C-alpha cells in the first residue's frame, strides 16, 4: 500500500470505531500484527491518528520495558475461546505458572 493509503486506512478505521461505540480503547491493534506486517510508516500513521500506542500479534504480557522500547509494537495476550483460559491469563495465573516452571515467558 502507498503511504497515503496506510494513513487513510488507519485514520478511517479508528474514526469508525469511535463512531460506532463509546467503549473504545485508544490503543491501536494492527490487523495482522506480525512484526513483518508493520514498520516505521505504520507506527507514524498510528501516531498521526492520535493514538498513543499499538499492539502487535506477538503474544505475551506487556511490561514497562516494552512501552519504553517501542509503544507502537506492544505484545498482547493471545485470545482463547476457553473462558477459563482467558480468566487465568488476565489474572496472571498462566504467567505465574511459567515463572514457577522457570520459563518466565
Amino acid at each position: 500500500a502507498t503511504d497515503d493509503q496506510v494513513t487513510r486506512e488507519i485514520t478511517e478505521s479508528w474514526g469508525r470505531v469511535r463512531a460506532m461505540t463509546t467503549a473504545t480503547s485508544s490503543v491501536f491493534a494492527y490487523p495482522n500484527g506480525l512484526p513483518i506486517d508493520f514498520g516505521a510508516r505504520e507506527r507514524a500513521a498510528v501516531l498521526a491518528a492520535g493514538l498513543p500506542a499499538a499492539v502487535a500479534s506477538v503474544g505475551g504480557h506487556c511490561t514497562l520495558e516494552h512501552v519504553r522500547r517501542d509503544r507502537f509494537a506492544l505484545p498482547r495476550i493471545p485470545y482463547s475461546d476457553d473462558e477459563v483460559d482467558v480468566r487465568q491469563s488476565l489474572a496472571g495465573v498462566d504467567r505465574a505458572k511459567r515463572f514457577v516452571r522457570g520459563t518466565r515467558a
Side-chain angles (χ1 to χ4, degrees):
T2 67
D3 293 349
D4 289 339
Q5 286 172 315
V6 167
T7 299
R8 187 177 66 253
E9 286 180 13
I10 289 173
T11 302
E12 288 179 4
S13 67
W14 172 232
R16 285 192 339 217
V17 168
R18 283 191 330 227
M20 295 174 70
T21 181
T22 57
T24 60
S25 169
S26 59
V27 175
F28 186 78
Y30 297 107
N32 291 336
L34 296 175
I36 62 170
D37 295 326
F38 64 93
R41 176 181 70 170
E42 290 75 16
R43 288 172 170 88
V46 170
L47 180 61
L51 296 154
V55 293
S57 291
V58 178
H61 288 80
C62 182
T63 65
L64 184 56
E65 180 58 33
H66 290 112
V67 175
R68 288 179 178 150
R69 187 175 43 233
D70 187 354
R71 64 188 169 119
F72 294 100
L74 301 173
R76 63 181 169 203
I77 300 168
Y79 177 79
S80 172
D81 289 330
D82 183 341
E83 184 178 341
V84 172
D85 286 344
V86 171
R87 288 179 184 273
Q88 286 185 356
S89 184
L90 293 175
V93 172
D94 62 331
R95 190 174 185 190
K97 287 178 185 176
R98 288 193 305 274
F99 184 80
V100 169
R101 291 180 189 131
T103 57
R104 296 184 187 211

